[in-house]
Structures are given as structure tokens and as C-alpha cells.
């Protein structure tokens, strides 16, 4: 199902990392676990640049940006 779910590729890796859970594989993830996985993934290297319409690293790092852009919509 994950393989065929229609998502933009930027979203697939952080979601898969949420299930992977540093090697302790989960069969399901909560919203909080997904957010945690996203933060870890996008904090690595320059992965944050894959977010659409992000002007700077500082903007990416703010929780307001996460909430406004991805949780509320």
C-alpha cells in the first residue's frame, strides 16, 4: 500500500522513516510519531530545501511554519 499510495516524493521518506523507527519497525504510526520523523528527516543535511516555498533554514525550523503549512491544511 505504501508503495502505491499517491504522494509527492518529498513526503515518502519521512513517512517511511516513521515506520522504520531506527530499526524498531512499527506497524502503525501516530500523528505525533510522523511529525517527529519529519523533523528528524528534514533536519538532516539539506533535506529542508525540499519543502515548497521555504525561504530560509530559519523559517523551516520554526514550529509555526510546520503548524501553518502542514498540520492545519
Amino acid at each position: 500500500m505504501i508503495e502505491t499510495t499517491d504522494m509527492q516524493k518529498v513526503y515518502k521518506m519521512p513517512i517511511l522513516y516513521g515506520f522504520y523507527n531506527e530499526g524498531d519497525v512499527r506497524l502503525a504510526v501516530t500523528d505525533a510519531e510522523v511529525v517527529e520523523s519529519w523533523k528528524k528527516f528534514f533536519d538532516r543535511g539539506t533535506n529542508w530545501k525540499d519543502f515548497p516555498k521555504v525561504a530560509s533554514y530559519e523559517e523551516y525550523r520554526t514550529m509555526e511554519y510546520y503548524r501553518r503549512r502542514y498540520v492545519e491544511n
Side-chain angles (χ1 to χ4, degrees):
M1 183 174 133
I2 291 172
E3 187 175 328
T4 59
T5 299
D6 186 28
M7 289 190 268
Q8 292 181 359
K9 62 183 173 184
V10 70
Y11 302 122
K12 285 186 179 181
M13 288 310 295
I15 297 296
L16 292 173
Y17 277 128
F19 282 97
Y20 180 67
N21 191 33
E22 305 293 331
D24 184 18
V25 179
R26 300 174 174 143
L27 298 178
V29 292
T30 65
D31 292 346
E33 291 166 337
V34 169
V35 169
E36 178 184 335
S37 174
W38 276 47
K39 288 180 200 174
K40 285 181 183 178
F41 177 79
F42 287 109
D43 278 348
R44 291 182 186 136
T46 58
N47 290 342
W48 67 271
K49 289 183 179 183
D50 290 334
F51 274 101
K53 301 179 183 176
V54 174
S56 68
Y57 182 71
E58 291 74 27
E59 179 183 17
Y60 153 74
R61 292 288 299 163
T62 65
M63 288 306 293
E64 177 62 21
Y65 179 77
Y66 282 107
R67 184 185 62 73
R68 184 177 70 244
R69 191 78 182 137
Y70 296 98
V71 176
E72 289 182 354
N73 295 322

